[in-house]
Amino acid sequence: MAVDPAHLTIESVIESTGLLSDEAMARLRLAVQESGERFDVVMTRLGLISEAVLQQKLAAVTGLAISELHDFPENPVGADMLSTAFLRDNRVIPLSISDSAVVVALVDPFDAFVRQSIGFVFARQVDVRLARASDIDVAIDRLYGSVAASDGIDEFADDDDIERLKDLVSDAPVIRAVNRLIAAASDARASDIHIEPTEDRLAIRFRIDGVLQDREPLPSAMRGPFVSRIKVMAGLNIAERRLPQDGRLKIAVRGHDIDLRVATTPAIHGESVVMRILDRSKLALDFVALGFDPELTQQLRNAVNRPYGIVLVTGPTGSGKTTTLYAALAELNTSSRKLLTVEDPIEYRLPGVIQTQVNPQIGFTFGSALRSFLRLDPDVMMVGEIRDTETAQIAVQAALTGHMILSTLHTNSAAGAVTRLIDMEVEPFLLSSVLSGILAQRLVRKLCPSCREPYSASPELLVELGLSSDETVTFYRAKGCASCEGSGYSGRTTLLEFLTIDDRISKLILKRADTREIADAALAAKMRTLRSDGLAKAKSGIIEIEEAVRVTVGD
């Protein structure tokens, strides 16, 4: 379709490229008409076209250069001449100014009003660059003040005035600020958002690849409205600020839904909030994607596909145990099986699986839920965690009566899970009959494949790792590039060890052998340990050797 250069718009450019079907264009126009928002805003919000693709297409049509975030100025340009509201509403930001021209970055190069307005204000020629909307938003927050400052939200005088608080959290600036924060966290691949009130600001941190990273803080005036807005979205009581609360919320980001688990707790300067991002689109329910090699994948599949038994996943909090169990459920989830779970809390919704959340306040615990499940004729039951003797004993009884039980346990090693269950007063002769396998795991950061650097390990390092100092071993280290935003890392993977309960291990269980004896027997049967799995992944360039050593100290 030919485009008339004299009447170019973003809509006409997108239509001419054929990137969207006629049906998608019709839905998009209807959404624009109903919302009253700009075409490009609705299009990227629905996830039909990414901001990067949009700017590439516009650059191809106009011949304009694209400015990246690092091209933006360190200090504001014309801060006293353009209002922050104008910059936000028109998605434009000045980059530099000279005697003859002002250079601006914007999203829509066909908006004559923006060029004319800036040219009039600065009395100069306007040179245009393209930029992503999210980059412009970040730069405006940094250079011209946050949403709160630019829209004049002041600290409310009386913290106990709940009605006024409700008015504040319904203000558009607060809503935009919360939505923008969640979108930024999703774009950054963060797993958690930490919102922490201090004396003079509202600190924001993202946990990315397991490490907390500071983000631009919000002013202290935002403490009450910002946190209260999150509580309203999560269905929490905004009037209760003395007790911790837990909730959930769902929000659309870049065209797909994201669930967030919200936890609040009182602190000295207000309420602290942590939001766990549960992005179903980024959930890998596949053993290979989680870091399993073919041999380990087959071992785990053999264990969970037995008609009855117990398969355990062990490791510290935040080591990905629940995700591994979800991957096992995905393997077992067929129309011929009935699957039930009891969790605290439910992390992700799994189609075809009946999921239940415990509620200790009314006596609905892991143990009582598991007991009630037995009357529902299940084939597979997942218990979020075996925490006490009651749950452990019911799980064993359920396995003995022909059910497959999947669960987690907090131990440092696979062998340690056996002695932990015996400590919970599970009879060894029962445990040896039903235990099918135990998986221990740790999460580690993956190196960015675009910039990782190889190097030869020193003899001292090889000796420290238990290798011969005469070996020639190549490891890899983080460097940092545009793909990983300078961190050197991209995503996480797992270090794994799987203890298969064979006849030799069963006899040791009957003898009430300690953890060391069981581990030695497993090593004699060639079980790969967490440390050896980390060494193999470090040699392959997947992780740094330091990551493997860090998470397996003492194992």
Side-chain angles (χ1 to χ4, degrees), residues 415-433:
V418 175
T419 52
R420 179 81 180 96
L421 289 171
I422 293 175
D423 289 342
M424 288 182 176
E425 302 178 16
V426 177
E427 291 293 341
F429 73 91
L430 296 177
L431 195 57
S432 65
S433 301

Side-chain angles (χ1 to χ4, degrees), residues 228-265:
S228 295
R229 172 61 188 170
I230 293 171
K231 291 173 70 175
V232 167
M233 294 170 70
L236 304 180
N237 182 1
I238 65 171
E240 179 55 76
R241 281 165 284 176
R242 301 165 300 172
L243 296 173
Q245 296 186 65
D246 295 296
R248 298 179 75 99
L249 66 91
K250 179 179 287 187
I251 186 172
V253 175
R254 310 291 187 235
H256 65 274
D257 288 336
I258 290 179
D259 289 315
L260 294 103
R261 197 174 76 219
V262 179
T264 70
T265 189

Side-chain angles (χ1 to χ4, degrees), residues 26 47 141 155 159 176 180 214 216 221 299 321 328 345 365 376 380 451 456 487 493 498 541 548:
D141 282 346
E155 181 75 80
D159 279 348
R176 288 201 303 269
R180 187 175 293 121
D214 288 327
E216 190 74 20
Q299 288 178 326
K321 300 186 295 296
T365 62
L376 300 178
V380 180
C451 64
S456 295
S487 70
T493 189
F498 188 74

